[in-house]
Amino acid sequence: MKIFFLLIASLFFSAVAYAHGISEADKQAMIDGGNLRYIWLGATHMLSGYDHLLFLFGVVFFLTTTKDIIKFVTIFTIGHSITLIFATFMGINANYYLIDAVIAISVIYKAFDNNKGFGNYLGVKSPNLLVMVLLFGLIHGFGLSTRLQQLPLGEQNWDMLLRIISFNVGVELGQIIALIFMLVVLTQWRKRKSFLRLSKVTNHALMFAGFMLLLMQLHGYLHTTNEEEFGFNKDAHQHIHMDMEAKQKEYIYDSL
């Protein structure tokens, strides 16, 4: 059990350390590999983007018809494609921790909505879901754009646009792969009695995960804006988390 918790802690600190960075090796691979590399990075980034996937999971959680799934996934895709392409091409940027904090809020929002929180707790009608999914899609795309802008996109507008579109294509491919897995799991789970019994608990867990992500992003934001107050800069802070992760791994290996 101790080893299990250490593994979870290791994953958490790893996410903190690497959530906003593009390694130099990845940057060089992008230069050498061309547009196909951007497609690959877009796909892998989506498949490892726990915040995007948690929101998508919340969106499709209660959707049972193909028509509804296509409608909501399409509107989410349109939203994040618009801001991903436009913000990257125009060089519009913002503090990535704040953007990701809003993405974490989107996870909390969708889980809260799934549990009929607006009616049960606030006594109001929930906002139009299609509009909210589009709005959060725009924000998710802006978050993806902050990552893409860390990569070498070239100086020529045409080359830059092709690389941005390639990355976006990869994101959509990764989303399709993740969506298929989610739908298979949900379809099988809905056949069991436990689905109705545990669906509310699952969405509470989704809210908790979103809340933890929100705290993590606000924690990162404070370190980027108040480096002197914390006594070390964000690079030193990242190295501290990496050192902690290394020590945890060393302890795990020793325990085994």
Side-chain angles (χ1 to χ4, degrees), residues 2-16 241 244-245 248 252:
K2 179 169 62 175
I3 293 175
F4 171 77
F5 283 116
L6 285 171
L7 285 170
I8 296 299
S10 177
L11 288 173
F12 175 78
F13 285 120
S14 177
V16 174
H241 283 304
M244 292 175 69
E245 181 186 0
Q248 288 164 354
I252 291 170

Side-chain angles (χ1 to χ4, degrees), residues 159-170:
D159 290 339
M160 182 187 298
L161 183 59
L162 282 178
R163 289 174 178 175
I164 295 170
I165 292 175
S166 296
F167 183 85
N168 191 57
V169 168

Side-chain angles (χ1 to χ4, degrees), residues 212-230:
M212 294 304 293
L213 286 173
L214 176 61
L215 291 181
M216 187 178 79
Q217 301 305 338
L218 293 177
H219 169 78
Y221 176 72
L222 288 175
H223 278 285
T224 61
T225 55
N226 299 287
E227 294 176 1
E228 294 182 0
E229 180 180 341
F230 281 95

Side-chain angles (χ1 to χ4, degrees), residues 235-254:
D235 291 329
H237 180 215
Q238 176 169 317
H239 285 304
I240 286 175
H241 283 304
M242 292 172 68
D243 289 342
M244 292 175 69
E245 181 186 0
K247 289 179 181 178
Q248 288 164 354
K249 288 180 179 179
E250 182 181 350
Y251 182 81
I252 291 170
Y253 294 143
D254 290 342

